[in-house]
Amino acid sequence: MLAPLERIVSGTRDRLARLRQIAELTPTHGAHRWVGVYEVDRAAGMVRDLVWSGTGTPEYPTFLMTKGLIGSASAERRAVNVADVASDPRYLTAFGSTRSEIIVPIFDRDGRDVVGTIDVGSGQPNAFDAAAQDLLEECERVIRMFWDNSGTPSS
């Protein structure tokens, strides 16, 4: 999966188009039904969904960066892998059919600040094993260089 991802991030399409391609690529490698790429805006204290692949717009396309699983992944600076979102009080219900979710923070080039996240949801409980998390963390390393070299992807 990394080779196609590297081609996407080094492409010439605009930033959001490339991020959309990234979101569309991820579900083809697993039982995921929704993938979103979020921007973490520390100055504004907000998280914003930039692009997604899957059915429907999330219930919370913009929210405070202290909320939800994305807020936790950003604050803890590590992936948050929830086997059953119904049992996790941090979960902001974006889709009623989501059973499990994994959030991988995207860091700036120096690895100091979280600038975004990869959010993958599944209708199945326990959908994300260690191998899936490792793969998404490898994807983050590729996306990080694109994000940092291009500035904020939404600009």
Side-chain angles (χ1 to χ4, degrees), residues 26-35 102 120-124 127-128 132 136:
T26 304
T28 64
H29 295 278
H32 321 313
R33 62 169 185 69
W34 195 88
V35 177
I102 185 169
V120 185
S122 176
Q124 302 172 1
F128 307 105
L136 287 169

Side-chain angles (χ1 to χ4, degrees), residues 26-67:
T26 304
T28 64
H29 295 278
H32 321 313
R33 62 169 185 69
W34 195 88
V35 177
V37 178
Y38 287 78
E39 175 182 49
V40 175
D41 182 344
R42 291 197 178 285
M46 300 297 292
V47 173
R48 182 170 53 111
D49 190 2
L50 296 173
V51 297
W52 66 87
S53 174
T55 56
T57 303
E59 181 72 24
Y60 300 97
T62 304
F63 54 91
L64 293 172
M65 66 182 279
T66 57
K67 303 290 182 186

Side-chain angles (χ1 to χ4, degrees), residues 40 70 72-80 103-107 113-118 136-137 140-141 144:
V40 175
I70 289 176
S72 294
S74 296
E76 296 170 14
R77 301 173 42 79
R78 64 174 182 84
V80 173
I103 311 293
V104 175
I106 301 170
F107 293 94
D113 292 324
V114 175
V115 294
T117 65
I118 305 166
L136 287 169
E137 288 172 344
E140 181 276 333
R141 288 177 188 81
R144 174 191 307 194

Side-chain angles (χ1 to χ4, degrees), residues 63-105:
F63 54 91
L64 293 172
M65 66 182 279
T66 57
K67 303 290 182 186
L69 298 174
I70 289 176
S72 294
S74 296
E76 296 170 14
R77 301 173 42 79
R78 64 174 182 84
V80 173
N81 188 343
V82 179
D84 179 10
V85 297
S87 66
D88 194 317
R90 301 172 297 177
Y91 179 66
L92 292 175
T93 304
F95 302 101
S97 59
T98 298
R99 296 291 312 274
S100 60
E101 189 166 18
I102 185 169
I103 311 293
V104 175

